[in-house]
Structure formats: C-alpha cells, structure tokens
C-alpha cells in the first residue's frame, strides 16, 4: 500500500523509479513504478490522466497482483521517471466522488441502504435499497440538504483501520474507499441533483457537477 501514494497524498508530481516496462496489448507498453500518484480505474471512478517523463499516460489499472500499471504508446527505460498527474482531470473526478459520498450519507440518514455508486462525468449516480420502509426524498429537499453541507465546508479526512482506508465527511460519517477526494465540501458548490427514481424498493439518484 505504501507504493500507492494517491491513497495518502494529494500531490500531483513526484519522481519515481521504473521497475518494469513491457509490451502489452494494442501496441501499448505497461509501466510499473516503485510508487505512483496515479489513481487506477476502479471503485466507480475513472483513472487519472497525466504523463511519465512528458509522455502521455493512456490508461491506469490495477492488475490481479495488486500492482498499478501505467499504459503508454512508448517504451520507457528502467530508472528514474517524473510523473505528472493532470490537475483538472483529477479535480473533476475527486469532486464527483466526494459529492457521491455526501449524497450517500444524506440518503442513508433517511433510512435507505447504499448499494452501489458510479462517479463518472456525465453519468454519476447512486443506487440504494429500501430496507426500513423509507420514503423517497424529494429532489428539492435533497438539493437543499446538499447545499447546507456545502455551505458548512465539511472537512474530508482519511484514516486507516488496518489495511482498510476510510474516507469521512465531517460529522456525516465515513465509507471504506480507495478513491480521490477534495479537501472540504465547499468545493462542491456546483453540485446539481438531476433526477431521482424510485422503483420496486430501489432508489437511484443521478447528479452532476457543473463546470
């Protein structure tokens, strides 16, 4: 876990060591580093974008062995390498992910049970199960509750219970999570709840963050 710097740091650049570089599918090369700031795709969140020594990182994924692999069109030599994570792309998805957590906590307080989440730009949504005969929220009411939390600038904090990473939003609570997040809820000020669907005891909340 110590090699996955994105779990504990919001830094966007650092020097690492290329441990392995080999040809992969689709004329791409897979690069494994001794440490990485790049968040791989997973957990309902897209991977980070950026460069290694100025060369575009096409995709980032975690393999079955738990190693984070960076895919490029170019073979890179073993040794030192400068990694640079794209700031705008990181912030976009960190905001969506944090917003999803915040909405999740608010809906759970109404008696719903979080089932799954998807934090992609243009298709962000949360799905809940009705386990306590809870009533579905009204869109305007949920929007007002979110606005209140944004106004409070609730801090986002990260802790570990053994190897499990926990992400908490102020007094709302915490979720186990490996994604990237903003520093406090004030950064979600362009959040918009698009629609709420309730069908057969399953609730879906669709949202976006306007640029």
């Amino acid at each position: 876990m110590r090699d996955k710097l994105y779990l504990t740091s919001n830094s966007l650049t650092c020097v690492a060591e290329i441990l392995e570089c080999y040809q992969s599918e689709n004329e791409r090369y897979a690069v494994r580093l001794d440490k990485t700031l790049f968040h791989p795709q997973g957990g309902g969140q897209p991977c980070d974008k950026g460069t290694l020594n100025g060369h575009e990182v096409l995709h980032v994924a975690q393999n079955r062995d738990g190693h984070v692999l960076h895919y490029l069109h170019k073979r890179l030599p073993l040794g030192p390498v400068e990694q640079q994570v794209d700031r705008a792309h990181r912030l976009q998805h960190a905001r969506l992910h944090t917003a999803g957590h915040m909405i999740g906590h608010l809906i759970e307080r109404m008696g719903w049970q979080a089932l799954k989440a998807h934090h992609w730009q243009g298709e962000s949504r949360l799905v809940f199960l009705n386990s306590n005969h809870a009533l579905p929220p009204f869109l305007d009411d949920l929007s007002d509750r979110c606005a209140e939390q944004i106004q409070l600038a609730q801090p986002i904090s990260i802790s570990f219970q053994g190897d499990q990473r926990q992400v908490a939003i102020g007094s709302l609570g915490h979720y186990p999570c490996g994604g990237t997040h903003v520093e406090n809820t004030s950064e979600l000020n362009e959040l918009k709840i698009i629609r709420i669907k309730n069908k057969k005891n399953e609730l879906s909340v669709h949202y976006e963050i306007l640029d």
Side-chain angles (χ1 to χ4, degrees), residues 69-86:
L69 300 179
H70 313 70
Y71 292 90
L72 294 82
H73 278 318
K74 181 179 177 63
R75 181 189 295 275
L76 299 182
L78 303 186
V81 66
E82 181 179 0
Q83 29 181 331
Q84 178 71 56
V85 176
D86 184 291

Side-chain angles (χ1 to χ4, degrees), residues 125-143:
R125 66 186 181 276
L126 304 161
V127 179
F128 304 85
L129 289 178
N130 194 341
S131 57
N132 296 308
H133 305 289
L135 295 175
F138 291 106
L139 191 148
D140 288 345
D141 179 60
L142 179 58
S143 297

Side-chain angles (χ1 to χ4, degrees), residues 79-152:
V81 66
E82 181 179 0
Q83 29 181 331
Q84 178 71 56
V85 176
D86 184 291
R87 180 183 298 274
H89 186 79
R90 162 68 68 85
L91 180 59
Q92 179 185 68
H93 294 291
R95 294 175 76 202
L96 287 168
H97 205 144
T98 303
H101 277 221
M102 183 179 71
I103 295 168
H105 287 304
L106 293 174
I107 298 292
E108 284 187 327
R109 288 187 170 195
M110 301 175 68
W112 295 83
Q113 178 184 349
L115 179 62
K116 56 186 177 181
H118 186 70
H119 310 292
W120 288 56
Q121 179 71 21
E123 51 190 71
S124 295
R125 66 186 181 276
L126 304 161
V127 179
F128 304 85
L129 289 178
N130 194 341
S131 57
N132 296 308
H133 305 289
L135 295 175
F138 291 106
L139 191 148
D140 288 345
D141 179 60
L142 179 58
S143 297
D144 288 344
R145 292 176 185 233
C146 289
E148 179 182 4
Q149 296 300 320
I150 292 171
Q151 182 67 31
L152 290 171

Side-chain angles (χ1 to χ4, degrees), residues 4-210:
K4 298 172 182 176
L5 302 182
Y6 58 86
L7 292 175
T8 56
S9 172
N10 287 326
S11 296
L12 299 174
T13 182
C14 79
V15 175
E17 194 84 7
I18 296 180
L19 301 178
E20 188 177 12
C21 180
Y22 58 89
Q23 189 165 9
S24 182
E25 73 285 351
N26 300 325
E27 299 182 352
R28 300 187 303 179
Y29 293 90
V31 175
R32 181 167 67 90
L33 308 175
D34 67 333
K35 56 188 176 184
T36 182
L37 292 169
F38 283 81
H39 181 278
Q41 182 170 311
Q45 181 176 335
C47 65
D48 279 328
K49 293 182 178 180
T51 60
L52 295 181
N53 275 355
H55 301 288
E56 180 186 5
V57 175
L58 306 170
H59 186 65
V60 187
Q62 183 169 281
N63 66 12
R64 294 180 179 179
D65 296 326
H67 299 307
V68 176
L69 300 179
H70 313 70
Y71 292 90
L72 294 82
H73 278 318
K74 181 179 177 63
R75 181 189 295 275
L76 299 182
L78 303 186
V81 66
E82 181 179 0
Q83 29 181 331
Q84 178 71 56
V85 176
D86 184 291
R87 180 183 298 274
H89 186 79
R90 162 68 68 85
L91 180 59
Q92 179 185 68
H93 294 291
R95 294 175 76 202
L96 287 168
H97 205 144
T98 303
H101 277 221
M102 183 179 71
I103 295 168
H105 287 304
L106 293 174
I107 298 292
E108 284 187 327
R109 288 187 170 195
M110 301 175 68
W112 295 83
Q113 178 184 349
L115 179 62
K116 56 186 177 181
H118 186 70
H119 310 292
W120 288 56
Q121 179 71 21
E123 51 190 71
S124 295
R125 66 186 181 276
L126 304 161
V127 179
F128 304 85
L129 289 178
N130 194 341
S131 57
N132 296 308
H133 305 289
L135 295 175
F138 291 106
L139 191 148
D140 288 345
D141 179 60
L142 179 58
S143 297
D144 288 344
R145 292 176 185 233
C146 289
E148 179 182 4
Q149 296 300 320
I150 292 171
Q151 182 67 31
L152 290 171
Q154 294 268 34
I156 283 66
S157 59
I158 294 172
S159 62
F160 288 86
Q161 296 180 1
D163 288 336
Q164 189 178 70
R165 182 176 183 255
Q166 301 283 337
V167 176
I169 300 182
S171 59
L172 289 179
H174 59 80
Y175 287 124
C177 177
T180 60
H181 292 272
V182 297
E183 294 186 358
N184 67 73
T185 57
S186 69
E187 298 183 61
L188 311 178
N189 61 331
E190 297 299 327
L191 172 64
K192 180 180 180 181
I193 307 298
I194 301 173
R195 62 184 177 275
I196 298 174
K197 294 182 179 180
N198 181 31
K199 185 177 181 180
K200 296 182 179 180
N201 289 324
E202 188 171 283
L203 183 78
S204 62
V205 178
H206 299 251
Y207 70 98
E208 64 182 2
I209 293 184
L210 305 175

